[in-house]
Amino acid sequence: MTIRVGVIGVGVMGSDHARALQHVVSGATVSAVTDLAADRADALAGELGARAFGSADELIAADEVDAVVIASPDHRHAAQVMSCLQNRKPVLCEKPLAPNLDDCRAIVDAQNDLALPHPLVSVGFMRRFDPGYVELAAAVATDAVGEALMVRCSHRNVASHPGGDSAATITNTAIHEIDVARWLFKSEIVEVSWHAGRSTPNDPTRQDPQLLLLRNAHGVLMVLDIFVNARYGYDVRCEVLGVDGAISLAPTPLTWIDRALQSRTAYPENWRPRFAEAYRLQSQAWIDSLAAERPSPLATAEDGLAATAVAAALIDSMKNNGAPTAVQH
Ligand code: ISE
């Protein structure tokens, strides 16, 4: 059975998802797209042989849509996920599930009220499918470096998305490390604190970089520097410090160039090349679960809620001069 997917939001991420579902992921086809920029939806619909819809609700309700991918702006996710639930359509919602904690809770409650055999909502925390993070998680699970003590992460973008602020850095970008912290250790984050030094002059809309501390229920501390205007390259790092050693994500360049007394490599310009394989594996796993009518192996609505709860605590800490703040689950 080929899964006919409708894609909501065909900007950078949505069009990447649509093209991969059409040409790379087996068992799927893109039957429908929609975007507030109708010309963008029409162009992609023409490219893929799909139908362009005038609204997310019309796409979600369409008979030719078996499942939905939401890649619209973060603040639109909650209403669109709720519409998928009302139409009983499986949905892969890009992170975050919603930037707002109450919206995440409403989604989890609405899904639970349906009492369906399998949850409909999956959340696009794609690093869970990145081969490097999968290897890291296996090492943590087997105490390969001894019992984990601390995690050091860096998440650096070349340039921030327009229209964001200091809170968006947390809900849209750091949300990945928040999920990684939960997923790596299978442990809830119980306390956080937010810190900052000087801020780059390259983005007056936000404090940048930020330093986030996340402590889980087993006492493991994650230290995350997040710098969304780093300029030098897209650079994601993760190192787990254990009793007997340390394990880190390996650098991901494909080549090194040795020339004129220099040896150099290149950073990716953004997350898309760095996590292309993670997105492919995530989408394939989602489609395979739909075709086999088994539960999705992706992050759940509860994972989305938990991540946004941690983000909310970090924002509270930010507003309270970095005070240690308990996470309200
Ligand atoms: C984006 O959605 C991502 O997934 C990237 O990993 C992150 O670096 C970027 O800031 C997000 O907007």
Side-chain angles (χ1 to χ4, degrees), residues 297-312:
L298 280 59
T300 64
E302 288 78 5
D303 292 318
L305 166 58
T308 295
V310 174

Side-chain angles (χ1 to χ4, degrees), residues 101-125:
L101 194 49
D102 289 341
D103 286 345
C104 288
R105 288 196 180 105
I107 289 166
V108 169
D109 291 345
Q111 180 172 254
N112 289 340
D113 290 347
L114 294 179
L116 294 174
H118 304 316
L120 291 175
V121 180
S122 296
V123 180
F125 287 123

